[in-house]
Coordinates of all heavy atoms in Angstrom, one line a residue:
Q1 N -4.8 -5.3 19.0 CA -5.9 -6.0 19.3 C -7.2 -5.2 19.2 O -8.3 -5.7 18.7 CB -5.8 -6.6 20.7 CG -4.7 -7.5 20.8 CD -5.2 -8.9 21.4 OE1 -6.3 -9.1 21.6 NE2 -4.3 -9.8 21.7
A2 N -7.2 -3.9 19.5 CA -8.4 -3.1 19.6 C -8.8 -3.0 18.1 O -10.0 -2.8 17.8 CB -8.1 -1.7 20.3
I3 N -7.8 -2.8 17.3 CA -8.2 -2.6 15.8 C -9.0 -3.7 15.4 O -9.9 -3.6 14.6 CB -6.9 -2.4 14.9 CG1 -6.5 -0.9 15.3 CG2 -7.2 -2.4 13.4 CD1 -5.0 -0.6 14.6
L4 N -8.6 -5.0 15.6 CA -9.3 -6.1 15.1 C -10.6 -6.2 15.8 O -11.6 -6.5 15.1 CB -8.4 -7.3 15.4 CG -7.1 -7.5 14.5 CD1 -6.4 -8.8 15.0 CD2 -7.4 -7.5 13.1
R5 N -10.7 -6.0 17.0 CA -11.9 -6.1 17.8 C -13.0 -5.1 17.3 O -14.2 -5.5 17.1 CB -11.7 -5.8 19.4 CG -13.0 -5.9 20.2 CD -12.7 -5.9 21.6 NE -12.1 -4.7 22.1 CZ -10.9 -4.7 22.6 NH1 -10.2 -5.7 22.8 NH2 -10.4 -3.3 23.0
Y6 N -12.6 -3.9 17.0 CA -13.6 -2.9 16.5 C -13.7 -2.7 15.0 O -14.7 -2.0 14.7 CB -13.2 -1.6 17.1 CG -13.2 -1.5 18.6 CD1 -12.1 -1.3 19.4 CD2 -14.5 -1.8 19.2 CE1 -12.3 -1.3 20.7 CE2 -14.6 -1.7 20.6 CZ -13.5 -1.4 21.5 OH -13.7 -1.4 22.8
S7 N -12.9 -3.5 14.3 CA -13.2 -3.4 12.8 C -13.8 -4.6 12.2 O -14.2 -4.7 11.1 CB -11.8 -3.1 12.1 OG -10.9 -4.2 12.2
L8 N -13.7 -5.7 12.9 CA -14.4 -7.0 12.5 C -15.6 -7.3 13.1 O -16.0 -6.8 14.3 CB -13.4 -8.2 12.6 CG -12.1 -7.9 11.9 CD1 -11.1 -9.0 12.2 CD2 -12.2 -7.9 10.3
G9 N -16.4 -8.1 12.6 CA -17.7 -8.6 13.4 C -18.8 -8.0 12.7 O -18.8 -7.3 11.7
P10 N -20.0 -8.3 13.3 CA -21.3 -7.8 12.6 C -21.5 -6.3 12.8 O -22.2 -5.8 11.9 CB -22.3 -8.6 13.5 CG -21.7 -8.9 14.8 CD -20.2 -9.0 14.6
N11 N -20.9 -5.6 13.6 CA -21.2 -4.1 13.8 C -19.8 -3.5 13.9 O -19.6 -2.8 14.9 CB -22.1 -3.9 15.1 CG -23.4 -4.5 14.9 OD1 -24.2 -4.4 13.9 ND2 -23.7 -5.3 15.8
P12 N -19.1 -3.4 12.9 CA -17.7 -2.7 13.0 C -18.0 -1.2 13.1 O -18.9 -0.6 12.7 CB -17.1 -2.9 11.6 CG -18.2 -3.2 10.7 CD -19.3 -3.8 11.5
L13 N -17.0 -0.6 14.0 CA -17.0 0.8 14.3 C -16.3 1.6 13.1 O -16.5 2.9 13.1 CB -16.4 1.1 15.6 CG -17.2 0.5 16.7 CD1 -16.5 0.9 18.2 CD2 -18.6 1.1 16.9
F14 N -15.4 0.9 12.4 CA -14.6 1.5 11.4 C -14.2 0.6 10.3 O -14.4 -0.6 10.6 CB -13.5 2.3 11.9 CG -12.3 1.5 12.3 CD1 -11.4 1.1 11.6 CD2 -12.4 1.0 13.6 CE1 -10.4 0.3 11.9 CE2 -11.2 0.0 14.1 CZ -10.4 -0.3 13.2
S15 N -13.9 1.1 9.2 CA -13.4 0.3 8.1 C -12.2 1.1 7.6 O -12.0 2.2 7.7 CB -14.4 0.2 6.9 OG -15.4 -0.7 7.2
C16 N -11.3 0.2 6.9 CA -10.1 0.8 6.3 C -9.9 0.2 5.0 O -10.0 -0.9 4.8 CB -8.9 0.6 7.2 SG -7.3 1.4 6.7
Y17 N -9.6 1.0 4.0 CA -9.3 0.5 2.7 C -7.8 1.0 2.4 O -7.4 2.0 2.7 CB -10.1 1.1 1.6 CG -11.6 0.5 1.9 CD1 -12.5 1.3 2.5 CD2 -11.9 -0.7 1.3 CE1 -13.7 0.8 2.7 CE2 -13.2 -1.1 1.5 CZ -14.1 -0.3 2.2 OH -15.4 -0.8 2.3
V18 N -7.1 0.1 1.7 CA -5.7 0.3 1.4 C -5.5 0.3 -0.2 O -6.1 -0.3 -0.9 CB -4.6 -0.6 2.2 CG1 -4.7 -0.6 3.7 CG2 -4.9 -1.9 1.6
A19 N -4.5 1.3 -0.5 CA -4.0 1.2 -1.9 C -2.6 0.7 -2.0 O -1.7 1.1 -1.2 CB -4.1 2.5 -2.5
E20 N -2.3 -0.3 -2.8 CA -1.1 -0.9 -3.0 C -0.5 -0.4 -4.4 O -1.3 -0.4 -5.4 CB -1.0 -2.4 -2.9 CG -1.4 -2.9 -1.6 CD -1.3 -4.4 -1.6 OE1 -2.4 -5.0 -1.9 OE2 -0.3 -4.9 -1.0
A21 N 0.7 -0.2 -4.5 CA 1.4 0.1 -5.8 C 2.8 -0.7 -5.7 O 3.6 -0.6 -4.7 CB 1.6 1.5 -5.9
D22 N 3.2 -1.3 -6.7 CA 4.4 -2.1 -6.8 C 4.6 -2.9 -5.7 O 5.8 -3.0 -5.0 CB 5.6 -1.1 -7.0 CG 5.6 -0.4 -8.3 OD1 4.9 -0.9 -9.3 OD2 6.2 0.6 -8.5
G23 N 3.6 -3.5 -5.0 CA 3.6 -4.5 -4.0 C 3.8 -3.8 -2.6 O 4.1 -4.5 -1.6
A24 N 3.8 -2.5 -2.5 CA 3.9 -1.8 -1.3 C 2.7 -1.0 -0.9 O 1.8 -0.7 -1.9 CB 5.1 -0.9 -1.3
L25 N 2.5 -0.6 0.4 CA 1.4 0.3 0.6 C 1.7 1.7 0.1 O 2.6 2.3 0.4 CB 1.3 0.3 2.3 CG 0.3 1.2 2.8 CD1 -1.1 0.6 2.5 CD2 0.4 1.3 4.4
A26 N 0.7 2.2 -0.6 CA 0.8 3.4 -1.2 C -0.1 4.4 -0.4 O 0.1 5.7 -0.5 CB 0.5 3.5 -2.7
G27 N -1.2 4.0 0.2 CA -2.1 4.9 1.0 C -3.1 4.2 1.5 O -3.3 2.9 1.4
Y28 N -4.0 4.9 2.3 CA -5.1 4.3 3.1 C -6.1 5.3 3.3 O -5.8 6.5 3.3 CB -4.7 3.5 4.3 CG -4.0 4.4 5.4 CD1 -4.8 5.0 6.3 CD2 -2.7 4.4 5.4 CE1 -4.2 5.8 7.2 CE2 -2.1 5.3 6.4 CZ -2.9 5.9 7.3 OH -2.3 6.7 8.2
I29 N -7.4 4.9 3.6 CA -8.4 5.8 4.1 C -9.1 5.0 5.1 O -9.4 3.7 5.1 CB -9.3 6.1 2.9 CG1 -10.3 7.3 3.4 CG2 -10.1 4.9 2.4 CD1 -11.0 8.0 2.2
G30 N -9.4 5.6 6.3 CA -10.1 5.0 7.4 C -11.5 5.7 7.6 O -11.5 7.0 7.6
L31 N -12.5 5.0 7.7 CA -13.8 5.4 7.8 C -14.4 5.1 9.1 O -14.3 4.0 9.5 CB -14.7 4.8 6.6 CG -14.2 5.0 5.2 CD1 -15.1 4.2 4.4 CD2 -14.1 6.4 4.9
T32 N -15.1 6.0 9.8 CA -15.8 5.8 11.0 C -17.3 5.8 10.7 O -17.6 6.7 9.7 CB -15.4 6.6 12.2 OG1 -15.6 7.8 11.9 CG2 -13.9 6.3 12.5
F33 N -18.2 5.3 11.5 CA -19.6 5.3 11.2 C -20.4 6.0 12.4 O -20.0 5.9 13.5 CB -20.2 4.0 11.0 CG -19.2 3.3 10.0 CD1 -18.5 2.1 10.4 CD2 -19.0 3.7 8.8 CE1 -17.7 1.3 9.5 CE2 -18.3 3.0 7.9 CZ -17.6 1.9 8.2
G34 N -21.5 6.7 12.0 CA -22.3 7.3 13.1 C -23.8 7.4 12.6 O -24.1 6.7 11.5
F35 N -24.6 8.1 13.2 CA -25.9 8.4 12.8 C -26.3 9.8 12.8 O -26.0 10.5 13.8 CB -26.8 7.6 13.8 CG -28.3 7.6 13.2 CD1 -28.7 6.7 12.3 CD2 -29.3 8.5 13.7 CE1 -30.0 6.7 11.9 CE2 -30.5 8.5 13.3 CZ -31.0 7.6 12.4
E36 N -26.9 10.3 11.8 CA -27.2 11.8 11.6 C -28.6 11.8 12.0 O -29.6 11.5 11.2 CB -27.0 12.2 10.1 CG -27.3 13.6 9.8 CD -26.3 14.5 10.8 OE1 -25.1 14.2 10.8 OE2 -26.8 15.5 11.4
F37 N -29.0 12.4 13.2 CA -30.3 12.5 13.7 C -31.1 13.3 12.8 O -32.3 13.1 12.6 CB -30.3 12.9 15.2 CG -29.9 11.8 16.2 CD1 -28.6 11.6 16.5 CD2 -30.7 10.8 16.5 CE1 -28.0 10.6 17.3 CE2 -30.3 9.8 17.4 CZ -29.0 9.6 17.7
S38 N -30.6 14.4 12.4 CA -31.4 15.3 11.7 C -31.8 14.8 10.3 O -32.8 15.2 9.8 CB -30.7 16.7 11.4 OG -29.4 16.5 10.8
A39 N -31.0 14.0 9.7 CA -31.4 13.4 8.4 C -32.0 12.0 8.6 O -32.5 11.4 7.7 CB -30.1 13.3 7.6
D40 N -32.0 11.5 9.8 CA -32.5 10.1 10.1 C -31.9 9.0 9.3 O -32.6 8.2 8.7 CB -34.1 10.1 9.9 CG -34.6 8.9 10.5 OD1 -34.2 8.3 11.5 OD2 -35.8 8.4 10.0
C41 N -30.5 9.1 9.2 CA -29.8 8.0 8.5 C -28.4 7.9 8.9 O -27.9 8.8 9.7 CB -29.8 8.4 7.0 SG -28.9 10.0 6.7
P42 N -27.7 6.8 8.6 CA -26.3 6.5 9.0 C -25.4 7.6 8.3 O -25.8 8.2 7.1 CB -25.9 5.2 8.3 CG -27.4 4.6 8.0 CD -28.3 5.7 7.8
S43 N -24.4 7.9 8.8 CA -23.3 8.8 8.3 C -22.0 8.1 8.4 O -21.7 7.2 9.1 CB -23.2 10.0 9.0 OG -22.8 9.8 10.4
V44 N -21.1 8.5 7.3 CA -19.7 8.0 7.3 C -18.8 9.3 7.4 O -19.0 10.2 6.7 CB -19.5 7.3 5.9 CG1 -18.1 7.0 5.9 CG2 -20.4 6.1 5.8
W45 N -17.8 9.2 8.2 CA -16.8 10.1 8.5 C -15.5 9.6 8.0 O -15.0 8.6 8.4 CB -16.8 10.4 9.9 CG -15.8 11.6 10.4 CD1 -14.5 11.3 10.7 CD2 -16.0 12.9 10.4 NE1 -13.9 12.5 11.1 CE2 -14.8 13.5 10.7 CE3 -17.1 13.7 10.1 CZ2 -14.6 14.9 10.9 CZ3 -16.8 15.1 10.3 CH2 -15.7 15.7 10.5
I46 N -14.7 10.5 7.2 CA -13.3 10.0 6.9 C -12.5 10.4 7.9 O -12.3 11.7 8.1 CB -13.0 10.8 5.5 CG1 -14.0 10.1 4.4 CG2 -11.5 10.4 5.2 CD1 -13.8 10.8 3.1
A47 N -12.0 9.5 8.7 CA -11.0 9.8 9.9 C -9.6 10.0 9.3 O -8.9 10.8 10.0 CB -11.2 8.7 10.8
E48 N -9.2 9.3 8.4 CA -7.8 9.4 8.0 C -7.8 9.1 6.4 O -8.5 8.3 5.9 CB -7.0 8.1 8.6 CG -6.9 8.2 10.1 CD -6.0 9.1 10.7 OE1 -5.0 9.5 9.9 OE2 -6.1 9.4 11.8
L49 N -6.8 9.9 5.8 CA -6.6 9.7 4.4 C -5.2 10.1 4.3 O -4.7 11.1 4.6 CB -7.5 10.7 3.5 CG -7.1 10.7 2.0 CD1 -7.3 9.3 1.4 CD2 -7.8 11.8 1.3
Y50 N -4.4 9.0 3.8 CA -2.9 9.1 3.7 C -2.5 8.5 2.4 O -2.9 7.4 2.0 CB -2.2 8.5 4.8 CG -0.8 8.4 4.6 CD1 0.1 9.6 4.8 CD2 -0.2 7.3 4.2 CE1 1.5 9.5 4.6 CE2 1.2 7.2 4.0 CZ 2.0 8.3 4.1 OH 3.3 8.3 4.0
V51 N -1.6 9.2 1.7 CA -1.0 8.7 0.4 C 0.6 9.1 0.7 O 0.9 10.1 0.9 CB -1.6 9.4 -0.9 CG1 -0.7 8.9 -1.9 CG2 -2.9 9.1 -1.0
D52 N 1.3 8.0 0.5 CA 2.8 8.1 0.6 C 3.3 9.1 -0.4 O 2.8 9.2 -1.5 CB 3.4 6.7 0.3 CG 5.0 6.8 0.4 OD1 5.3 6.4 1.6 OD2 5.7 7.0 -0.5
A53 N 4.2 9.9 0.0 CA 4.8 11.0 -0.8 C 5.2 10.6 -2.1 O 5.2 11.4 -3.2 CB 5.9 11.7 -0.1
D54 N 5.8 9.4 -2.3 CA 6.2 8.9 -3.6 C 5.0 8.5 -4.5 O 5.2 8.4 -5.7 CB 7.0 7.6 -3.4 CG 8.5 7.8 -2.7 OD1 8.8 9.0 -2.9 OD2 9.0 6.9 -2.2
W55 N 3.8 8.4 -4.0 CA 2.7 8.0 -4.9 C 1.7 9.1 -5.0 O 0.7 9.0 -5.5 CB 2.0 6.8 -4.3 CG 2.9 5.6 -4.6 CD1 3.9 5.0 -3.7 CD2 3.2 4.9 -5.8 NE1 4.5 4.1 -4.3 CE2 4.1 3.9 -5.6 CE3 2.7 5.1 -7.1 CZ2 4.5 3.1 -6.7 CZ3 3.0 4.4 -8.0 CH2 4.0 3.4 -7.9
R56 N 2.0 10.4 -4.5 CA 1.0 11.5 -4.6 C 1.0 11.9 -6.2 O 2.0 11.7 -6.9 CB 1.5 12.6 -3.8 CG 1.2 12.2 -2.3 CD 1.6 13.2 -1.3 NE 1.4 12.6 0.1 CZ 1.9 13.3 1.2 NH1 2.8 14.3 1.1 NH2 1.9 12.5 2.3
R57 N -0.1 12.4 -6.5 CA -0.3 12.9 -7.9 C -0.4 11.8 -8.9 O -0.1 11.9 -10.0 CB 0.9 13.8 -8.4 CG 0.9 15.1 -7.6 CD -0.3 16.0 -7.9 NE -0.2 17.3 -7.5 CZ -1.1 17.9 -7.1 NH1 -2.4 17.5 -7.2 NH2 -1.0 19.3 -6.4
H58 N -0.8 10.6 -8.4 CA -1.1 9.4 -9.2 C -2.5 8.9 -9.2 O -2.9 7.8 -9.6 CB -0.1 8.2 -8.8 CG 1.3 8.3 -9.2 ND1 2.3 9.1 -8.4 CD2 2.0 8.1 -10.2 CE1 3.4 9.1 -8.9 NE2 3.3 8.5 -10.0
G59 N -3.4 9.7 -8.6 CA -4.8 9.4 -8.6 C -5.1 8.5 -7.3 O -6.2 7.9 -7.3
I60 N -4.2 8.1 -6.5 CA -4.6 7.2 -5.3 C -5.6 7.8 -4.5 O -6.5 7.1 -4.1 CB -3.2 6.8 -4.7 CG1 -2.5 5.9 -5.7 CG2 -3.6 6.1 -3.4 CD1 -1.1 5.4 -5.2
A61 N -5.4 9.0 -4.0 CA -6.4 9.6 -3.1 C -7.7 9.7 -3.8 O -8.8 9.5 -3.2 CB -6.0 11.0 -2.6
R62 N -7.9 10.0 -4.9 CA -9.1 10.1 -5.7 C -9.8 8.7 -5.8 O -11.0 8.6 -5.4 CB -8.8 10.5 -7.1 CG -10.1 10.6 -8.0 CD -9.8 11.2 -9.3 NE -9.0 12.3 -9.2 CZ -7.8 12.5 -9.9 NH1 -7.6 11.9 -11.0 NH2 -7.1 13.5 -9.7
R63 N -9.1 7.6 -5.9 CA -9.6 6.2 -5.9 C -10.0 5.9 -4.6 O -11.1 5.2 -4.3 CB -8.6 5.3 -6.5 CG -8.5 5.4 -8.0 CD -7.7 4.3 -8.6 NE -6.4 4.3 -8.3 CZ -5.3 4.7 -8.8 NH1 -5.6 5.6 -9.9 NH2 -4.1 4.6 -8.3
L64 N -9.3 6.3 -3.5 CA -9.7 5.9 -2.2 C -10.9 6.7 -1.7 O -11.9 6.1 -1.1 CB -8.5 6.4 -1.1 CG -7.3 5.4 -1.2 CD1 -6.1 6.0 -0.5 CD2 -7.6 3.9 -0.8
M65 N -11.0 7.9 -2.1 CA -12.3 8.7 -1.9 C -13.4 8.1 -2.5 O -14.5 8.0 -1.9 CB -12.0 10.2 -2.3 CG -11.0 11.0 -1.5 SD -11.6 11.2 0.2 CE -12.7 12.6 -0.1
A66 N -13.3 7.7 -3.8 CA -14.3 7.0 -4.5 C -14.8 5.7 -3.8 O -16.0 5.4 -3.8 CB -13.8 6.6 -5.9
R67 N -13.8 5.0 -3.4 CA -14.1 3.9 -2.6 C -14.9 4.1 -1.3 O -15.9 3.4 -0.9 CB -13.0 3.0 -2.2 CG -13.3 1.7 -1.6 CD -14.2 0.8 -2.5 NE -14.6 -0.5 -1.8 CZ -15.9 -0.5 -1.2 NH1 -16.8 0.5 -1.5 NH2 -16.3 -1.7 -0.7
A68 N -14.6 5.2 -0.6 CA -15.2 5.6 0.5 C -16.7 5.9 0.2 O -17.7 5.8 0.9 CB -14.5 6.8 1.2
A69 N -16.8 6.7 -0.9 CA -18.2 7.1 -1.4 C -19.1 5.8 -1.6 O -20.3 5.8 -1.2 CB -18.1 8.0 -2.6
R70 N -18.5 4.9 -2.3 CA -19.3 3.6 -2.6 C -19.6 3.0 -1.3 O -20.8 2.4 -1.1 CB -18.4 2.7 -3.5 CG -18.4 3.0 -4.9 CD -17.9 1.9 -5.8 NE -16.6 1.3 -5.3 CZ -15.4 1.7 -5.7 NH1 -15.2 2.9 -6.4 NH2 -14.3 1.1 -5.3
H71 N -18.7 3.0 -0.4 CA -19.1 2.4 1.0 C -20.2 3.0 1.6 O -21.1 2.4 2.2 CB -17.8 2.4 1.9 CG -18.1 1.7 3.2 ND1 -17.2 0.5 3.5 CD2 -18.8 1.8 4.2 CE1 -17.7 0.0 4.6 NE2 -18.5 0.9 5.2
A72 N -20.2 4.4 1.5 CA -21.4 5.1 2.1 C -22.7 4.9 1.4 O -23.7 4.7 2.1 CB -21.0 6.7 2.0
V73 N -22.6 4.8 0.2 CA -23.8 4.5 -0.7 C -24.3 3.0 -0.2 O -25.5 2.8 0.0 CB -23.6 4.6 -2.2 CG1 -24.7 4.0 -3.0 CG2 -23.4 5.9 -2.4
E74 N -23.4 2.1 -0.2 CA -23.8 0.7 0.0 C -24.4 0.5 1.5 O -25.3 -0.3 1.6 CB -22.5 -0.2 0.0 CG -22.0 -0.3 -1.5 CD -20.6 -0.9 -1.4 OE1 -20.0 -1.3 -0.4 OE2 -20.0 -1.1 -2.7
M75 N -24.1 1.3 2.5 CA -24.6 1.1 3.7 C -25.7 2.1 4.0 O -26.4 2.2 5.0 CB -23.5 1.5 4.9 CG -23.0 2.9 5.0 SD -21.8 3.0 6.4 CE -22.9 2.9 7.8
G76 N -26.2 2.9 2.9 CA -27.3 3.8 3.0 C -27.1 5.1 3.8 O -28.0 5.7 4.2
A77 N -25.9 5.5 3.8 CA -25.6 6.7 4.4 C -26.1 7.9 3.7 O -26.0 8.0 2.4 CB -24.0 6.9 4.7
G78 N -26.5 8.9 4.5 CA -27.0 10.2 3.9 C -26.0 11.1 3.5 O -26.2 11.9 2.7
H79 N -24.8 11.0 4.0 CA -23.6 11.8 3.7 C -22.3 11.2 4.1 O -22.3 10.4 5.0 CB -23.9 13.3 4.1 CG -23.8 13.2 5.7 ND1 -25.0 13.1 6.5 CD2 -22.9 13.5 6.6 CE1 -24.7 13.2 7.7 NE2 -23.5 13.4 7.9
L80 N -21.3 11.7 3.5 CA -20.0 11.4 3.7 C -19.3 12.7 4.2 O -19.4 13.8 3.6 CB -19.3 10.8 2.5 CG -17.9 10.5 2.5 CD1 -17.7 9.3 3.4 CD2 -17.3 10.1 1.0
Q81 N -18.6 12.6 5.4 CA -18.0 13.9 5.9 C -16.4 13.8 5.9 O -16.0 12.7 6.2 CB -18.4 14.2 7.3 CG -20.0 14.6 7.4 CD -20.3 14.8 8.9 OE1 -20.7 13.8 9.6 NE2 -20.1 16.0 9.3
W82 N -15.8 14.9 5.7 CA -14.3 15.0 5.8 C -13.9 16.4 6.1 O -14.5 17.4 5.5 CB -13.7 14.5 4.4 CG -12.3 14.5 4.3 CD1 -11.4 14.1 5.5 CD2 -11.4 14.8 3.3 NE1 -10.2 14.2 5.0 CE2 -10.1 14.6 3.7 CE3 -11.7 15.2 2.1 CZ2 -9.0 14.7 2.9 CZ3 -10.5 15.4 1.2 CH2 -9.2 15.2 1.6
S83 N -13.0 16.6 7.0 CA -12.5 17.9 7.3 C -11.0 17.7 7.5 O -10.6 16.7 7.9 CB -13.3 18.5 8.6 OG -13.1 17.7 9.7
M84 N -10.4 18.9 7.4 CA -8.9 18.9 7.5 C -8.6 20.1 8.5 O -9.3 21.1 8.5 CB -8.1 19.1 6.3 CG -8.3 17.8 5.4 SD -7.5 18.2 3.7 CE -6.0 18.7 4.2
V85 N -7.4 20.0 9.2 CA -7.1 21.0 9.9 C -6.0 21.7 9.0 O -5.3 21.1 8.2 CB -6.3 20.6 11.3 CG1 -7.2 19.9 12.2 CG2 -5.1 19.5 10.9
P86 N -6.0 23.0 9.3 CA -5.0 23.8 8.3 C -3.5 23.5 8.4 O -2.9 23.6 7.2 CB -5.3 25.3 8.7 CG -6.4 25.3 9.5 CD -6.6 24.0 10.1
E87 N -3.2 22.8 9.4 CA -1.6 22.5 9.5 C -1.3 21.2 8.8 O -0.2 20.9 8.7 CB -1.3 22.3 11.0 CG -1.4 23.5 11.8 CD -2.9 23.9 12.4 OE1 -3.6 22.9 12.5 OE2 -3.2 25.0 12.6
N88 N -2.4 20.6 8.3 CA -2.2 19.2 7.6 C -1.6 19.5 6.2 O -2.1 20.2 5.5 CB -3.5 18.5 7.5 CG -3.2 17.0 7.1 OD1 -2.2 16.7 6.7 ND2 -4.4 16.3 7.1
P89 N -0.4 18.9 6.0 CA 0.2 19.1 4.6 C -0.4 18.5 3.5 O -1.0 17.6 3.6 CB 1.7 18.6 4.8 CG 1.7 17.6 5.8 CD 0.4 18.0 6.8

């Protein structure tokens, strides 16, 4: 319920894009939104990026990242942020 409440409506807190392959979920990217005070503009943070092991090395992550970049441009964001923890495979 919280996912629907916070992702739909006039002011969503996040968006999610999915990639399908052969009728199945191959990957997804989750974006959250904020405001960068030093740049005086909206910002987009990549909160989640996942590609199923069977679909890695097929360009899915690249396409999901490109979609995230388009989303950031469409909303007038000054930057798109992503960070990873070293333990993430």
Side-chain angles (χ1 to χ4, degrees):
Q1 293 237 8
I3 289 175
L4 293 177
R5 182 172 58 241
Y6 294 119
S7 66
L8 301 175
N11 299 306
L13 296 178
F14 70 93
S15 287
C16 184
Y17 294 97
V18 299
E20 292 181 281
D22 293 340
L25 178 67
Y28 62 86
I29 193 165
L31 310 174
T32 61
F33 314 117
F35 187 81
E36 184 63 43
F37 287 93
S38 63
D40 196 28
C41 62
S43 61
V44 177
W45 178 269
I46 297 172
E48 299 281 339
L49 175 61
Y50 172 78
V51 176
D52 184 89
D54 292 339
W55 289 101
R56 293 180 185 161
R57 300 281 187 218
H58 287 87
I60 290 173
R62 183 175 316 136
R63 289 192 296 272
L64 288 168
M65 292 289 282
R67 184 60 188 105
R70 282 195 312 275
H71 188 109
V73 168
E74 289 165 1
M75 69 177 287
H79 62 273
L80 175 64
Q81 291 181 270
W82 184 35
S83 63
M84 292 178 46
V85 293
E87 298 81 25
N88 192 349

